[in-house]
Amino acid sequence: MAEEGGEGKHQALQTLQELVDGLYCFRDHYFESHSVEAAGRKQQDVLEEMEKTLQQMGGIDGYSQGRAQALMLKGKALNVTPDYNPQAEELLAKAVKLDPELVEAWNQLGEAYWKKGDITAAHTCFSGALGHRKNKVSLQNLSMVLRQLRAESTEQHAQNVMDSVRQAKLAVQMDVRDGRSWYILGNAYLSLFFNTGQNPSISQRALGAYAQAEKVDPTASCNPDLHLNRATLHKYEENYTEALEGFSRAAALDPAWPEPRQRQQQLLDFLERLTSLLENKGKVKVKKLQSMLGSLRPSQLGPCGDGRYQGSSGQKVALEHRLLSALQPGVNTGAVVLGRVVFSLTTDEKVPFTFGLADSKGPCFAVTVYNMVQSWGVLIGDSVAIPEPHLQHHHVQHQGKVSVAWFSLALQEEGYGKSPEIG
């Protein structure tokens, strides 16, 4: 009889597990059976599927009633939605008390605390789960929590971000075929990029991790967060078409989430304002513009014109003064341009700081400045020298709403942030 009872308990738990697995499969693979146009119904559909699953679970006989595994499974079912569920927290807390070795219950309880906004408690749960057994889910979640932990200083926050990257790497190492691990690693690199001086190599690692997430897991392509975060990087690197496409895709996958649509519109507004200012040279009156540009002198090149300029190798480089119209696409090694500021443009995000530069001949070019100190800026009429500028031609097209083209300049540096010479 004991053997039959044990077998019955095992069968009941297995049935409960299959029901919960089916619920999460429905959520995670929703767009394999539904079109993107149905995205607005996803949350309600998942909620209805959860209710149906809970009803089916309630019909399982009492072999497993009160056991930690059964409590965990019911709590996990209630935890399937993005919103905090107090009943899920209660059941999961009971499960870990009954069986402190139940790692999945710790992970689910940590997610419940995360949704509740109790980041410290979530961190305790994921760390505790790893204390019992190394597992990729705890590593993934710990990576996310570390970036949200309240830090006493900027140094502590930077350390948390570095630790977040380490945990995400460990998760990837445990299962290189897990798309969620790659996605979380991409987010960790994204946070590291913005917290450590915007090193371009780190942004490329983030983009590579996102690409790998989509490669190993087709469901990653239906993750609106992935598209929003990747679009943020593309916008920062001035890949504007890719940024707009990413914001648009995120908005389509989660119509109830306002941020992607807002970010898309902000970028469209920025691009339209920028192109208008470039075409009209900042709307500076003709006589004033002629006076500004006619007074440009080689003496205003500063260190870029008297042999004091040091290249990326640290050696002094003699620079040749060229007109903006004489620049070639890419890095113009050994050259320096000089122009007047004819407009400046900022966004709500304050990044990048953009201004228009014109010289005595040719069109107006955009100059974008990143990682600048708050007190730095330029005024209309300032003379600006840019050594070894990197010229890029932008041509942005998006859903028939915008089709614009312009040239922009940047410094040839390993990272972002070195200021041009201002006069």
Side-chain angles (χ1 to χ4, degrees), residues 106 109-111 113-114 118-130 138 141-149 160 163 167:
W106 282 112
L109 182 58
E111 288 194 28
Y113 283 133
W114 173 279
D118 192 341
I119 306 302
T120 301
H123 180 267
T124 299
C125 288
F126 300 137
S127 299
L130 287 169
S138 296
N141 291 337
L142 189 58
S143 175
M144 293 190 294
V145 165
L146 281 165
R147 299 193 298 273
Q148 300 296 324
L149 272 180
N160 287 346
D163 196 17
Q167 302 300 332

Side-chain angles (χ1 to χ4, degrees), residues 74-118:
K74 186 175 181 181
K76 182 176 179 179
L78 289 163
N79 216 20
V80 73
T81 68
D83 299 322
Y84 167 70
N85 187 306
Q87 189 182 0
E89 179 191 340
E90 180 183 353
L91 292 170
L92 294 165
K94 288 180 179 178
V96 296
K97 286 181 181 178
L98 284 171
D99 184 0
E101 302 289 326
L102 192 55
V103 168
E104 189 173 8
W106 282 112
N107 283 332
Q108 287 293 324
L109 182 58
E111 288 194 28
Y113 283 133
W114 173 279
K115 295 172 185 178
K116 188 180 181 180
D118 192 341

Side-chain angles (χ1 to χ4, degrees), residues 345-389:
L345 179 61
T346 58
T347 63
D348 292 338
E349 298 168 323
K350 308 299 182 186
V351 177
F353 177 76
T354 306
F355 63 90
L357 192 70
D359 59 16
S360 57
K361 295 181 181 179
C364 180
F365 287 7
V367 180
T368 48
V369 183
Y370 295 82
N371 203 29
M372 67 183 200
V373 295
Q374 291 185 351
S375 60
W376 190 90
V378 294
L379 300 174
I380 293 175
D382 281 347
S383 62
V384 177
I386 302 180
E388 302 192 314

Side-chain angles (χ1 to χ4, degrees), residues 21-325:
D21 289 346
L23 171 62
Y24 274 76
C25 183
F26 177 83
R27 183 195 70 178
D28 296 339
H29 296 265
Y30 183 84
F31 291 106
E32 293 179 17
S33 56
H34 299 75
S35 67
V36 174
E37 287 72 21
R41 302 199 309 269
K42 179 181 178 182
Q43 190 164 340
Q44 182 60 36
D45 287 349
V46 171
L47 187 61
E48 291 175 1
E49 190 72 14
M50 181 192 79
E51 296 293 347
K52 184 172 70 174
T53 300
L54 289 170
Q55 288 180 358
Q56 293 173 320
M57 293 175 74
I60 306 298
D61 61 34
Y63 282 114
S64 57
Q65 292 298 315
R67 290 190 57 181
Q69 181 75 7
L71 289 170
M72 184 276 293
L73 288 169
K74 186 175 181 181
K76 182 176 179 179
L78 289 163
N79 216 20
V80 73
T81 68
D83 299 322
Y84 167 70
N85 187 306
Q87 189 182 0
E89 179 191 340
E90 180 183 353
L91 292 170
L92 294 165
K94 288 180 179 178
V96 296
K97 286 181 181 178
L98 284 171
D99 184 0
E101 302 289 326
L102 192 55
V103 168
E104 189 173 8
W106 282 112
N107 283 332
Q108 287 293 324
L109 182 58
E111 288 194 28
Y113 283 133
W114 173 279
K115 295 172 185 178
K116 188 180 181 180
D118 192 341
I119 306 302
T120 301
H123 180 267
T124 299
C125 288
F126 300 137
S127 299
L130 287 169
H132 292 296
R133 175 169 55 84
K134 184 179 179 182
N135 66 98
K136 65 182 182 182
V137 175
S138 296
L139 291 167
Q140 292 167 353
N141 291 337
L142 189 58
S143 175
M144 293 190 294
V145 165
L146 281 165
R147 299 193 298 273
Q148 300 296 324
L149 272 180
R150 184 176 179 179
E152 298 298 326
S153 64
T154 54
E155 291 78 10
Q156 180 60 54
H157 178 67
Q159 184 58 48
N160 287 346
V161 172
M162 291 293 293
D163 196 17
S164 169
V165 173
R166 284 193 289 270
Q167 302 300 332
K169 284 182 177 179
L170 289 172
V172 167
Q173 289 170 7
M174 288 196 71
D175 184 0
V176 295
R177 302 296 300 173
D178 189 314
R180 185 169 185 261
S181 292
W182 283 107
Y183 157 67
I184 290 171
L185 179 59
N187 288 349
Y189 277 134
L190 176 68
S191 185
L192 183 65
F193 174 75
F194 284 111
N195 279 276
T196 56
Q198 297 85 51
N199 187 322
S201 67
I202 296 176
S203 69
Q204 292 306 307
R205 292 178 198 173
L207 292 173
Y210 291 140
Q212 191 66 16
E214 291 184 307
K215 180 179 179 181
V216 302
D217 181 7
T219 64
S221 297
C222 299
N223 182 347
D225 296 274
L226 185 152
H227 290 285
L228 179 77
N229 293 340
R230 181 164 55 191
T232 300
L233 269 179
H234 280 310
K235 173 181 176 292
Y236 200 88
E237 296 201 331
E238 300 182 24
N239 300 322
Y240 294 120
T241 297
E242 292 86 345
L244 289 168
E245 290 173 353
F247 291 139
S248 178
R249 179 66 174 169
L253 289 168
D254 192 350
W257 188 19
E259 186 176 356
R261 209 171 303 280
Q262 291 170 357
R263 300 273 291 277
Q264 179 186 15
Q265 191 58 51
Q266 287 171 354
L267 181 52
L268 286 170
D269 291 345
F270 168 79
L271 293 174
E272 289 171 358
R273 289 165 60 201
L274 176 61
T275 51
S276 175
L277 288 166
L278 287 169
E279 288 170 359
N280 295 285
K281 294 190 176 179
K283 300 181 180 179
V284 178
K285 292 183 179 180
V286 176
K287 286 187 177 181
K288 182 178 180 181
L289 182 63
Q290 290 175 342
S291 175
M292 287 167 51
L293 302 182
S295 62
L296 285 170
R297 297 290 183 269
S299 60
Q300 294 163 336
L301 288 169
C304 299
D306 59 12
R308 288 183 289 154
Y309 172 74
Q310 290 186 346
S312 57
S313 64
Q315 300 295 319
K316 290 184 177 181
V317 179
L319 300 176
E320 177 191 354
H321 180 205
R322 293 183 194 167
L323 294 173
L324 289 169
S325 58

